[in-house]
Amino acid sequence: MHRSRVYALLIDAPEAEAARAAAFWSAALGVSTRSDPAEPQFIGLHEALPGLVTAVQAVDDTPRFHLDIEADDVAAETARLIAVGATEVSRWLECRVLRVPGGHLVGVLPVASPPEIFAAQARTWP
């Protein structure tokens, strides 16, 4: 058994447009932005979707939205999602990137939220 939950909604924007995209989403949603020097590719949209990390991510690719799912067993969650139709596209550090039916991307990553939030909100899978 393992547990997982939706952790983040990422707004992927080409690197040259990421700052403008973050300014737009900040104004459109009425939220402030936050950046972390340790992860410069992300510009957080503070409390845009309460309970979820929401951020603009600078990518070397086309614009899109993607979800990140955190799991206490990344391999098991990846296998579960592949069993229901996803295909693995790549790996980055401990994370897996999957393409799901319809063409969207989903990231599967180790638990990143506070333990009490994960415990209260995660679903249990066989």
Side-chain angles (χ1 to χ4, degrees):
M1 262 189 335
H2 75 281
R3 300 188 76 205
S4 67
R5 70 179 278 272
V6 174
Y7 171 71
L9 172 66
L10 286 294
I11 302 165
D12 296 339
E15 189 171 352
E17 293 293 315
R20 285 186 54 218
F24 169 82
W25 287 109
S26 173
L29 301 173
V31 297
S32 61
T33 60
R34 291 191 180 163
S35 297
D36 180 350
E39 296 182 309
Q41 72 273 29
F42 298 104
I43 303 169
L45 298 166
H46 184 65
E47 292 297 316
L49 296 170
L52 290 179
V53 169
T54 310
V56 172
Q57 179 179 2
V59 297
D60 186 19
D61 206 345
T62 58
R64 61 182 169 242
F65 294 93
H66 82 264
L67 290 177
D68 278 351
I69 297 173
E70 62 180 348
D72 58 9
D73 185 334
V74 170
E77 181 67 0
T78 299
R80 184 182 78 78
L81 295 173
I82 288 171
V84 296
T87 56
E88 188 170 329
V89 174
S90 64
R91 295 179 179 206
W92 180 72
L93 302 174
E94 298 176 65
C95 305
R96 307 294 183 264
V97 178
L98 309 176
R99 187 167 309 281
V100 302
H104 293 91
L105 295 178
V106 170
V108 181
L109 57 138
V111 175
S113 61
E116 64 278 2
I117 291 174
F118 185 79
Q121 297 178 359
R123 296 183 190 270
T124 301
W125 306 99

